[in-house]
Structures are given as C-alpha cells and as structure tokens.
Amino acid sequence: MIDVARVTYRDARAEDAAALAEISRATFLATFGHLYTIADRNAFVAETYGRKLQAAEIADPEMRHRLAFDGRDVIGFAKMGAYKLPVAAEGRRVRELHRLYVVEAAKGAGIAAALMEWTIATARGDGADALYLGVWQGNARAQRFYARYGFEIVGEYTFEVGAARDPEYVMRKPLA
Ligand SMILES: CC(C)(COP(=O)(O)OP(=O)(O)OC[C@H]1O[C@@H](n2cnc3c(N)ncnc32)[C@H](O)[C@@H]1OP(=O)(O)O)[C@@H](O)C(=O)NCCC(=O)NCCS
C-alpha cells in the first residue's frame, strides 16, 4: 500500500518521458486491455504511449502533465490542455482533462483527488470557464469519481481502437 504522506507531486520534465510512457501503457492495459484484440491493443499502445510521443507531449506548451511520485516511482498523473474531443464545446475558453491515471495500489488513496484538484486549479489559472473530459461508458469508477467534482454528462462519442468502437461520454464541469 502507498504511504500517502510520502507522495510528492510536480510538473513533468523531459526526463520523465520513459516513466510516463510506462505508467500510461500499464494503466491503459490493466483498465481497458480486455476490450480489444491483442493486435489492436498492441498497435494502439505503441502508437499512443511511445516514449518519443510522451516526450513531445511534455514539451508541448498546450499540454500540462502533473506527476505523483512514491519515492522515485511515478504512481499517477494527470494530463490537461487544449480541447480535442470530437464534439462542440460550450464555453468561451475550455480545457480538457486528457488523462487521469493512477496505479492500482494508489486507487482510493486520494492521489487521483490531488491530481484532479491540480487540474481544476490549473484550468482556472488558464482562464478556462469549463473543463471537459471523455470517459468510457463502462468505466463506472471513473464516472463516479468525476461526478464528485461536479462533472456532468453532456454528450457522447465513439473512441476507436483498431476494430473496436468504444462508446464514450463527454463530461463537463463549469469553472466559472
Ligand atoms: C479513475 C481514477 C483516476 C479514480 O481514482 P480513485 O482513487 O480510484 O478514485 P476514488 O476511489 O477516490 O473514487 C472512486 C469512486 O468510485 C467508487 N467505486 C470504486 N469502485 C467502483 C466500481 N467498480 N464501480 C463503481 N464505482 C466504484 C468509489 O466508491 C468512489 O466513489 P465514492 O467517492 O462515491 O465513494 C482511478 O481509479 C484510475 O486511475 N483508474 C484507472 C484509469 C482510469 O480509468 N482513468 C480514467 C480514464 S477516463
């Protein structure tokens, strides 16, 4: 079990790309791997969570990453930035929480909560009047977590991984 008092947080740096790629890959596979064929999920993971792409995303000024550490190990992260969901957003200036992943041992421990609080504060600091996210419709735990922060379902879309077509909800939290 994680000793919550020892967990530290900081923004991602270039040298975190490999650790970010690894936790992203492992958490995605543990949470969603069963939804896809092995070939589809391997292709998706290689394309989406490669170290080079993570390095490019860390360097992208439109993206912000906050990491949670247990000692030197990354145990969770939030990725927040420009709005990219495939549905029209409502708001003068909006932000999207692209990923919020914590490792199994960190679930229910308040690590995701700290990352969410950072996300909300950072979006507000960016002058955003709404924060959006996309979540798989079968991910009841995540939806319940988001509802705690005032996110509401405002739309739906389909997320493609190889041959799979996942039904997703769009959730929105007003920040004003
Ligand atoms: C989603 C995630 C960030 C939430 O963080 P967490 O620390 O697990 O969240 P918490 O335990 O504080 O809250 C989860 C809520 O879901 C509830 N819950 C737990 N297991 C559940 C389940 N199987 N079904 C439905 N609700 C569940 C908890 O009781 C809690 O609700 P409550 O606050 O009303 O009691 C984390 O679980 C995670 O990283 N999951 C894997 C990756 C993922 O799914 N990311 C989100 C992608 S959109």
Side-chain angles (χ1 to χ4, degrees), residues 48-166:
T48 314
Y49 301 124
R51 192 179 54 77
K52 275 192 182 160
L53 181 56
Q54 299 313 304
E57 290 185 355
I58 290 171
D60 182 347
E62 284 292 327
M63 290 292 166
R64 308 277 291 272
H65 295 79
R66 188 76 168 171
L67 307 183
F69 289 87
D70 182 16
R72 295 169 64 108
D73 297 333
V74 177
I75 56 166
F77 74 95
K79 174 186 171 194
M80 196 274 296
Y83 183 81
K84 298 197 171 172
L85 287 169
V87 297
E90 196 186 315
R92 187 180 35 82
R93 183 171 167 82
V94 301
R95 282 284 180 269
E96 179 183 340
L97 173 57
H98 292 267
R99 282 176 203 148
L100 177 62
Y101 289 1
V102 301
V103 299
E104 191 63 36
K107 286 183 184 172
I111 313 300
L115 292 167
M116 176 59 88
E117 276 151 26
W118 170 87
T119 302
I120 293 167
T122 305
R124 280 209 171 100
D126 284 352
D129 51 14
L131 183 59
Y132 279 79
L133 59 84
V135 57
W136 175 46
Q137 293 187 7
N139 194 346
R141 181 169 194 148
Q143 286 167 41
R144 187 156 174 149
F145 176 84
Y146 296 138
R148 223 161 73 201
Y149 290 89
F151 284 88
E152 288 181 353
I153 295 170
V154 294
E156 297 184 40
Y157 67 105
T158 301
F159 183 70
E160 297 183 8
V161 175
R165 304 281 177 270
D166 293 338

